[in-house]
Amino acid sequence: MFRVFECIVGQHDLRLVLLAALVWIVGSAALFLLLQRSTDCVEVRRRQWVAIAALAAGVGVWATHFIAMLAYDGPMPLRFDPSLTALSVLFAILFFWLAFLIAGRAFRPLASMAAGLCAGSGVAVMHFTGMAAIIAPATVRYDWVAIAAAFLVVAACFALGFYAFGRLSARTRIAIPATLAVLGVVALHFTAMSATVLMPDPTHPIGTGTGSWLVVAIVAAALGLISLVLVGAFLDRIFTDLRGLADATLEGLAILNDGHILEANGQLATLLGVDVATLVGSDARAWLEPGDGLPLDARRERPAEATIHRPDGVEIIVEIAAHAIEYRGRRCQVLAVRDLTARKRAELQVEHLAAHDGLTGLPNRTRFTAALEGLVRSGENFALFALDLDRFKAVNDLFGHAAGDAILCRVATLLREVTREIDVVARIGGDEFLIIQRRIDDVRDAQLLARRILDSFAEEMDITRDPMAVGVSIGVALYPGDANSAETIRHNADVALYRAKERGRGLACFFDLDMDKLVRERRELEHDLRHAIPRAQLSLMFQPLVATAGGKIVGYEALLRWAHPTRGSIPPETFVPIAEDVGAIIPIGEWVLREACAAAMQWPRHVNVAVNVSPVQFQLPNLAAIVEDALVQSGLEAARLELEVTESVMLRDRDNALATMHRLKALGVRIVMDDFGTGYSSLSNLQAFPFDKIKIDRSFVSHVTDDESARSIIRAIVGLGRSLDLPVVAEGVETEEQRRMVLEEGCPQAQGFLFGGPAEAVVGVPGLLRVVNGGRRGRDRNADPFAQQA
């Protein structure tokens, strides 16, 4: 048998003992800080603060008790029952909460005494519940006389602390009650410990649980307690008197009686450019002039604007609102004054942004449309220029968005310089610009402006000196000669621009009736294209994909052809964009996919088939299901199917495109980025999307023998593919020299007329393709393209 008190020094970790005392010092300070905050609030909020104070006090005294218990380092092992340990802290919080409710707001003597007894009882109940949680090979006995004395001490300390808290002020209101609370708890704990006797009892088993969880819980409780103190201190700091609150508001405030200022805050004095003393007693009408003509203190349904007349002559637009209040026993009005300077500036900025392009500062589509419609209504002669930048997408892709933005700003500056102030230059999106040339006499004025634009681009955007230089294509329509409405002239200018691009870019084309004929022809093609599948006018051709080193065929790309009954063979670059515009690409694309998969089943298993997928198809939510059904119906292995997509797929709906790609990848299908180097953000797309292969655009390959920059680009793309473990295919290889150079640059695969032109599959003859348009090597029409792989 031994007494705990006798081993406090010899068998306790004094650091933990000091930590226990420190925790309760902080806890008691937090307790009375939170009680002080509660006395400043209305009753509903006071009860909330009382509950928070009870939580802080209960957790603090509980942490103090168990840290002191954990400081024990004697020969008898001690463990603690988790349930009773948790119950002890609940008892402490509950008793402190009842004590604070009993003490009330005033902390009168009797209420303080009753609250002290309740708080002391809470500490005692918590202490002995914690002692009951001890798991040790011993029987615990107590000296109840000493414990009773200790209870009276802690109850008295709390009673005196509550009474002092209700009578003192300033810092002593916290310091003295907190000190009494610390003394009471320490006295109860160590007196009760000295009155505790542990008698060894082998029949009591040693607990198998560890106390490590309790250390964590106590540390967390202590940190939470400190947080409560900080929060309480912060809230106490921001609680100010009415004057401080009035000065802190962003609005100017004044209390008026009979039009004279009785009180004003510093913000109003700052707005008026004087001090508060100057305002008090003055006539408010000398400072403020309402814009609605009503008196300042008149009742308004909504705030009104007013003008401030400052002594320095500066006038400021403000917003005023008046409300009736009772002040110093008199009926007065409180006038709120809000500075509208920032809002007016923001409104002007919003108006500017609503009508102008945020990047270049040029008028945007909205303002341009309004200007165009106004000129049409006025009947003024003008020319409409539609401009589109050549190579901009490639520059934006290769050098990044920042470089692309810089190019657009350079173009905007260039167009401002070649036009007059009365002309309208607008950017309507991307790399599209529009110009209205006003007050023209005839077509020669428009021709002169078109020449100035082309010459300026040739001088300022020289690709031989600046790799980021771009060109421009121009379409021009005249009003009223070419159109009689704003919509028509816009359409005609676009048609002329399309013709300029068709003729080779870097040109200016003027609208004529022949161009209108092209529009009608397009509509006829739209109609015929919708019926191309049921009329069996579509067919597939297959172009080989080979290894550049040995010429081994590794796959074929399915190419769509349209044999029109009256127009003959229509190239894909003509009818595919039309199909995308009218939605016909969806059934056509599914037909191509199914036919290509069926054809590939006739080839050796190591030969893959590649199918182009339109951005319009990629928007279909069931694209993965269509691909899966095509694979199932044909029996083709998913790994042999490659779907080629361009970067425009990622631009329309990036998140859905990524989700669709992942669904396709889950099927086992391979995804190929087509026309790499001509899109918008290739590098970011390679990182974000799960591609399996890269195809270099043919525009780079065609110049690889005579343009060092094109060769450098191919070298960079191949290196990028190698670092990302992505095979690279060079498209458009037409000569042996091109094949040799892409091979030297490390491009492992190639495709082009050098290796064979498009061919159609022969149904029922496994492994054979019949060449329809023979390659430049002069292949035999019935040759076996796989024979060289035997």
Side-chain angles (χ1 to χ4, degrees):
M1 180 177 67
F2 60 91
R3 291 183 176 275
V4 175
F5 182 76
E6 295 174 354
C7 63
I8 288 178
V9 176
Q11 296 182 354
H12 279 70
D13 187 340
L14 294 180
R15 293 173 299 178
L16 290 179
V17 172
L18 293 176
L19 177 61
L22 179 61
V23 168
W24 181 235
I25 290 173
V26 176
S28 59
L31 157 65
F32 288 101
L33 278 172
L34 295 170
L35 282 180
Q36 177 176 309
R37 181 72 183 95
S38 71
T39 59
D40 296 327
C41 300
V42 296
E43 185 59 24
V44 174
R45 296 195 61 193
R46 186 187 77 84
R47 292 180 178 273
Q48 297 173 355
W49 282 107
V50 163
I52 296 175
L55 177 64
V59 171
V61 74
W62 173 82
T64 299
H65 168 77
F66 277 93
I67 291 175
M69 292 296 295
L70 291 174
Y72 172 70
D73 193 24
M76 184 173 295
L78 300 179
R79 297 291 186 270
F80 300 90
D81 179 76
S83 300
L84 291 176
T85 300
L87 185 61
S88 64
V89 69
L90 294 178
F91 281 141
I93 294 172
L94 177 61
F95 276 84
F96 272 110
W97 180 63
L98 293 174
F100 299 154
L101 292 180
I102 293 172
R105 187 187 292 269
F107 293 92
R108 293 186 176 87
L110 290 178
S112 297
M113 184 181 299
L117 287 172
C118 186
S121 299
V123 176
V125 171
M126 181 279 304
H127 178 89
F128 289 104
T129 304
M131 294 297 294
I134 293 176
I135 301 174
T139 301
V140 183
R141 294 184 179 179
Y142 301 100
D143 182 352
W144 293 108
V145 175
I147 290 173
F151 171 77
L152 293 177
V153 170
V154 70
C157 286
F158 272 112
L160 289 174
F162 290 145
Y163 182 77
F165 176 79
R167 297 297 177 269
L168 300 177
S169 60
R171 295 182 179 179
T172 57
R173 191 184 189 194
I174 305 299
I176 292 178
T179 302
L180 290 171
V182 169
L183 292 176
V185 170
V186 170
L188 174 65
H189 179 81
F190 288 104
T191 301
M193 293 297 289
S194 66
T196 301
V197 178
L198 296 179
M199 299 181 63
D201 188 352
T203 62
H204 288 244
I206 299 177
T208 57
T210 176
S212 59
W213 70 270
L214 190 57
V215 176
V216 176
I218 293 173
V219 171
L223 292 176
L225 181 63
I226 294 173
S227 299
L228 286 173
V229 174
L230 294 176
V231 172
F234 174 76
L235 292 174
D236 184 70
R237 184 178 183 84
I238 65 172
F239 183 74
T240 59
D241 58 10
L242 183 60
R243 167 61 65 181
L245 182 62
D247 286 336
T249 183
L250 298 177
E251 296 180 344
L253 297 176
I255 298 178
L256 309 181
N257 181 257
D258 292 334
H260 289 77
I261 300 176
L262 301 181
E263 290 286 351
N265 68 348
Q267 183 67 16
L268 180 60
T270 301
L271 283 174
L272 297 177
V274 296
D275 54 30
V276 175
T278 303
L279 293 178
V280 175
S282 65
D283 190 341
R285 291 170 293 183
W287 306 101
L288 294 161
E289 181 181 351
D292 58 5
L294 298 176
L296 281 173
D297 53 1
R299 184 176 180 179
R300 295 177 172 85
E301 294 183 357
R302 61 183 62 186
E305 290 188 2
T307 303
I308 286 180
H309 302 287
R310 292 167 55 108
D312 56 7
V314 176
E315 293 188 352
I316 301 175
I317 303 300
V318 296
E319 184 180 70
I320 60 172
H323 302 280
I325 63 170
E326 183 177 339
Y327 181 74
R328 296 179 182 175
R330 293 180 291 179
R331 186 169 182 80
C332 301
Q333 290 78 35
V334 58
L335 181 68
V337 181
R338 177 179 298 172
D339 186 4
L340 296 184
T341 303
R343 194 178 84 178
K344 290 294 184 181
R345 186 183 301 115
E347 288 176 353
L348 292 176
Q349 184 177 7
V350 169
E351 291 177 1
H352 179 83
L353 291 176
H356 292 78
D357 174 47
L359 177 63
T360 63
L362 295 176
N364 60 11
R365 184 187 300 271
T366 302
R367 183 174 178 184
F368 179 85
T369 301
L372 180 63
E373 292 175 348
L375 287 174
V376 170
R377 287 193 299 269
S378 69
E380 178 182 321
N381 293 343
F382 64 89
L384 177 61
F385 291 67
L387 297 86
D388 190 79
L389 302 183
D390 304 329
R391 293 188 66 251
F392 175 75
K393 292 180 176 61
V395 170
N396 191 59
D397 176 57
L398 292 175
F399 297 99
H401 289 296
D405 291 346
I407 288 294
L408 293 174
C409 292
R410 286 177 59 187
V411 170
T413 301
L414 186 152
L415 295 178
R416 288 192 187 99
E417 292 174 351
V418 299
T419 54
R420 302 166 298 173
E421 290 187 3
I422 62 172
D423 298 334
V424 179
V425 181
R427 177 182 175 228
I428 61 172
D431 59 344
E432 301 176 49
F433 294 82
L434 293 173
I435 299 176
I436 298 177
Q437 185 186 21
R438 299 184 57 189
R439 301 175 187 173
I440 63 172
D441 295 326
D442 53 38
V443 68
R444 287 176 295 181
D445 293 334
Q447 291 172 342
L448 289 174
L449 178 57
R451 175 49 53 191
R452 287 201 303 270
I453 295 174
L454 293 175
D455 290 345
S456 182
F457 267 82
E459 181 180 353
E460 299 294 333
M461 297 285 185
D462 187 355
I463 191 172
T464 61
R465 294 184 288 107
D466 184 2
M468 292 193 300
V470 297
V472 63
S473 298
I474 307 173
V476 186
L478 305 180
Y479 182 87
D482 295 332
N484 56 8
S485 67
E487 182 179 354
T488 304
I489 195 170
R490 277 288 304 273
H491 170 75
N492 292 346
D494 288 338
V495 170
L497 175 61
Y498 178 75
R499 173 65 63 88
K501 290 182 177 181
E502 273 191 332
R503 292 181 176 178
R505 301 176 181 270
L507 302 173
C509 288
F510 284 70
F511 177 80
D512 57 37
L513 294 179
D514 290 338
M515 295 181 184
D516 191 47
K517 179 181 178 182
L518 291 176
V519 175
R520 292 194 300 270
E521 291 180 352
R522 175 187 168 94
R523 291 174 181 170
E524 293 175 0
L525 285 177
E526 291 176 2
H527 175 269
D528 294 342
L529 191 57
R530 296 180 188 275
H531 304 283
I533 294 179
R535 293 173 180 172
Q537 297 172 358
L538 299 179
S539 61
L540 290 185
M541 313 295 283
F542 295 87
Q543 186 173 37
L545 173 67
V546 304
T548 52
K552 177 182 178 181
I553 296 179
V554 295
Y556 284 87
E557 179 181 356
L559 303 176
L560 181 62
R561 295 293 182 263
W562 182 18
H564 194 277
T566 59
R567 301 175 186 270
S569 179
I570 300 178
E573 57 268 23
T574 298
F575 70 82
V576 169
I578 297 175
E580 290 180 331
D581 290 343
V582 301
I585 195 65
I586 294 176
I588 292 175
E590 183 175 348
W591 179 87
V592 170
L593 179 66
R594 296 183 182 277
E595 291 293 318
C597 290
M601 283 298 296
Q602 308 297 321
W603 308 339
R605 296 187 62 181
H606 65 274
V607 178
N608 299 332
V609 62
V611 178
N612 289 277
V613 178
S614 165
V616 178
Q617 290 176 266
F618 228 82
Q619 291 181 299
L620 296 175
N622 63 335
L623 176 61
I626 293 174
V627 173
E628 183 179 16
D629 185 64
L631 292 171
V632 172
Q633 294 296 326
S634 64
L636 185 69
E637 298 176 11
R640 294 180 60 194
L641 176 61
E642 297 179 353
L643 298 181
E644 297 187 3
V645 298
T646 60
E647 289 180 290
S648 56
V649 165
M650 285 74 80
L651 297 179
R652 300 196 179 190
D653 192 336
R654 191 177 182 88
D655 293 337
N656 285 338
L658 182 59
T660 299
M661 284 194 184
H662 282 300
R663 287 194 291 269
L664 292 171
K665 290 285 290 182
L667 297 176
V669 175
R670 296 164 59 82
I671 309 295
V672 181
M673 178 182 279
D674 198 11
D675 298 337
F676 183 77
T678 62
Y680 296 87
S681 54
S682 296
L683 299 182
S684 63
N685 288 333
L686 283 180
Q687 181 183 20
F689 289 84
F691 291 107
D692 298 288
K693 186 186 293 185
I694 303 173
K695 297 186 75 173
I696 304 175
D697 186 69
R698 65 180 64 248
S699 62
F700 300 113
V701 178
S702 62
H703 294 91
V704 69
T705 58
D706 56 11
D707 189 345
E708 184 60 31
S709 63
R711 186 166 184 172
S712 299
I713 291 172
I714 292 177
R715 184 183 306 124
I717 295 176
V718 171
L720 178 64
R722 187 180 298 113
S723 63
L724 296 176
D725 195 24
L726 296 177
V728 178
V729 180
E731 288 187 294
V733 177
E734 299 185 358
T735 67
E736 181 62 31
E737 186 178 6
Q738 290 176 350
R739 183 198 69 82
R740 179 181 57 80
M741 296 190 75
V742 297
L743 176 61
E744 290 175 355
E745 296 303 334
C747 190
Q749 299 177 2
Q751 179 180 348
F753 279 100
L754 179 65
F755 310 106
E760 64 180 5
V762 179
V763 180
V765 184
L768 290 182
L769 296 180
R770 175 161 26 90
V771 179
V772 175
N773 296 318
R776 296 191 180 181
R777 285 183 173 178
R779 283 176 173 263
D780 182 8
R781 292 172 58 88
N782 296 313
D784 184 353
F786 304 111
Q788 59 183 306
Q789 304 175 38

